[in-house]
Amino acid sequence: MNHSISKSVFARAQQLMPGGVNSPARAFGAVGGTPVVIERGQGAHLYDVDGNCYIDYVGSWGPLILGHADSRVTESIRQAIAKGTSFGAPTAAENRLAELIVGAVKSVEKVRLVNSGTEATMSAIRLARGFTDRDVIVKFGGNYHGHVDSLLVAAGSSAATLGVPDSPGVTRGTSQDTLVLKFNDVAGIEQAFSEHGEQIAAVILEPVVGNMGCVPATNEFLQVVRQQTERHGAVMILDEVMTGFRVAYGGAQSLFGIQPDLTTFGKIVGGGMPIGAYGGRQEIMDQVLPAGKVFQAGTLSGNPIATAAGIATLEALQQGDSYPKLERLASKLAEGLHQAATKLDVPHTIGRVGSMLTLFFNSQKVTDWEVASQCDTERFAKYFWGMLEHGVYLPCSQFEASFISTAHTDEHIEQTIQAAQQSLAMLT
Ligand code: KE4
């Protein structure tokens, strides 16, 4: 494949923007080489500026569950934009999107729309601290919740450790109230509550982690988090920015049968436009200004364009048979990848929940960051480039999830499996 125009555009980007990107995830840092510069998307495909076509499994990192330029979404945006872009005043469209979220997710009685997943988790953390009048937040290694200072915290050396900053600029004062535990470690969460129970404001976790590759929580782990937070008066926050409306219309919590106190959303609820949301028990949500005293605001929160795209997306998911189709295609892909890697003796495991999945270059089942971090990332990089050259666009990191959209077809899956057979063969 020729990538000359991508290379020249990206060279200029690097003179204008840090690393040439507006989010580090896109910089191909983990796989090397130059990112392909995208011209447009259509359905399951992306087209780069050199005219190369790819079957897309990034979907803008999750939002595009209907595929690129879905006519229901673009038409909804077109109609909204004809009436103006933003008013900074209540609109009926915000009611409609809020109704769809509240109607889909049993634990959400009230919701606040914001502009990104990071804003959603940042606000949910502040709300939990305001509601409980406590400071300590518990998070888990390998879980990413956006670039919130208090959540940009690496795991300390022992299981239950007061975190250390994971980025310059995050102060010790900020990270000292963040406890970082091992994901799926029941004893660890029980120990943390026995030691810090009455200081813990909230526990936040991804019910199906997408940010160390696709790693589901165990039922037992989720139940124990629920029990411990209830017993000690802490808020349970499920970060469903990625899994919300992805793994099921009711989110991962509907699959696990768990009711958190707060849930955060993003990505799909905006249909590809900038959006986030947090919601949950009315008793807690009514603490948010102006109903309550916990401050949170945003110029473009609930803006007409993002709400139009989100409404069109959620209505399409609500009405259609999207989830059975996504499950069938994702299961077919996972099985095809497993067969290909097994036939070639490539050590691997696959993590999958619904239409989010990861091929791990690790023979051990990935259940937490300690195992995930032992993946053969060099092999992943070679596989990534092999797939790209065969016209398949994967997330550029072993520690991300691939996503299938309703625009994908059986033929796309078959083409992808063939590309994997050829790419994996290059590894042996
Ligand atoms: P945003 O602020 O990027 O909208 O959402 C942050 C966020 C919060 N919670 C979860 C579970 C998330 O996965 C994310 C963002 N996901 C990454 C991909 N793993 C976004 C890609 C990027 O940062 O460019």
Side-chain angles (χ1 to χ4, degrees):
M1 278 184 175
N2 172 28
H3 298 293
S4 55
I5 301 175
S6 274
K7 285 186 166 63
S8 64
V9 171
F10 193 71
R12 178 63 179 140
Q14 289 177 300
Q15 296 171 329
L16 295 163
M17 296 165 280
V21 291
N22 288 304
S23 189
R26 314 170 190 167
F28 278 28
V31 296
T34 303
V36 290
V37 175
I38 300 301
E39 171 78 21
R40 67 185 179 91
Q42 183 62 50
H45 292 108
L46 284 176
Y47 301 84
D48 71 16
V49 289
D50 289 289
N52 301 306
C53 175
Y54 308 95
I55 302 172
D56 177 27
Y57 288 95
V58 179
S60 183
W61 303 95
L64 299 179
I65 195 167
L66 301 180
H68 294 281
D70 179 276
S71 58
R72 294 161 293 188
V73 177
T74 54
E75 177 57 20
S76 180
I77 291 172
R78 193 189 63 75
Q79 288 180 19
I81 215 160
K83 295 189 279 183
T85 52
S86 179
F87 314 118
T91 62
E94 292 162 87
N95 291 14
R96 180 61 184 142
L97 184 53
E99 274 170 352
L100 284 163
I101 295 171
V102 168
V105 186
K106 203 169 145 201
S107 66
V108 176
E109 295 172 335
K110 273 193 174 178
V111 66
R112 168 63 65 87
L113 303 177
V114 293
N115 297 285
S116 69
T118 295
E119 268 193 64
T121 57
M122 173 176 68
S123 307
I125 293 290
R126 182 182 312 130
L127 175 57
R129 284 171 159 159
F131 178 68
T132 60
D133 193 21
R134 297 177 183 177
D135 298 341
V136 175
I137 298 295
V138 174
K139 76 173 289 282
F140 300 93
N143 282 229
Y144 173 69
H145 305 291
H147 58 96
V148 189
D149 275 11
S150 58
L151 299 177
L152 280 179
V153 181
S157 52
S158 67
T161 308
L162 284 186
V164 292
D166 202 19
S167 163
V170 176
T171 65
R172 281 174 179 66
T174 303
S175 54
Q176 69 182 11
D177 289 329
T178 305
L179 208 49
V180 185
L181 304 182
K182 183 177 173 184
F183 191 64
N184 277 329
D185 177 10
V186 168
I189 192 80
E190 288 171 338
Q191 177 196 356
F193 270 96
S194 67
E195 290 174 7
H196 307 279
E198 305 325 308
Q199 289 83 45
I200 296 175
V203 175
I204 185 169
L205 71 155
E206 296 179 64
V208 177
V209 182
N211 291 288
M212 55 175 146
C214 183
V215 178
T218 64
N219 278 307
E220 183 192 14
F221 181 65
L222 278 178
Q223 293 299 339
V224 169
V225 170
R226 181 65 286 181
Q227 287 155 14
Q228 290 291 332
T229 46
E230 252 164 12
R231 186 173 305 159
H232 293 272
V235 174
M236 180 179 185
I237 304 171
L238 285 187
D239 180 353
E240 296 224 41
V241 166
M242 189 181 283
T243 55
F245 298 94
R246 164 59 62 180
V247 296
Y249 190 67
Q253 57 191 270
S254 68
L255 298 179
F256 286 104
I258 205 97
Q259 288 229 43
D261 300 303
L262 293 177
T263 302
T264 54
F265 303 93
K267 297 182 192 275
I268 290 173
V269 299
M273 296 304 293
I275 201 162
Y278 63 102
R281 284 169 41 203
Q282 178 162 338
E283 176 195 11
I284 301 177
M285 290 304 294
D286 277 348
Q287 304 300 315
V288 180
L289 207 71
K293 294 186 169 48
V294 177
F295 189 82
Q296 185 266 306
T299 303
L300 295 174
S301 296
N303 75 79
I305 315 307
T307 50
I311 290 164
T313 301
L314 297 196
E315 285 181 346
L317 292 170
Q318 187 184 42
Q319 288 148 13
D321 65 344
S322 304
Y323 294 98
K325 174 181 179 180
L326 290 167
E327 176 59 28
R328 183 178 63 78
L329 291 177
S331 151
K332 181 175 180 178
L333 177 58
E335 182 55 27
L337 295 175
H338 173 60
Q339 294 296 340
T342 303
K343 193 171 173 190
L344 291 159
D345 280 337
V346 175
H348 72 285
T349 50
I350 289 181
R352 179 178 80 84
V353 178
S355 59
M356 59 191 273
L357 69 158
T358 301
L359 172 64
F360 290 104
F361 288 87
N362 187 332
S363 53
Q364 196 181 345
K365 184 174 185 310
V366 179
T367 53
D368 53 54
W369 175 244
E370 287 69 20
V371 176
S373 60
Q374 292 157 28
C375 287
D376 186 336
T377 51
E378 280 182 32
R379 260 192 168 182
F380 173 82
K382 292 189 183 112
Y383 170 68
F384 171 85
W385 278 103
M387 293 292 269
L388 196 76
E389 291 305 312
H390 284 95
V392 176
Y393 189 78
L394 295 176
C396 49
S397 164
Q398 168 74 99
F399 308 119
E400 293 287 356
S402 294
F403 301 102
I404 290 174
S405 80
T406 55
H408 284 72
T409 64
D410 284 286
E411 189 187 352
H412 294 143
I413 300 299
E414 285 145 22
Q415 285 170 20
T416 305
I417 293 167
Q418 282 165 20
Q421 288 163 346
Q422 291 159 320
S423 306
L424 291 167
M426 302 299 285
L427 303 181
T428 53

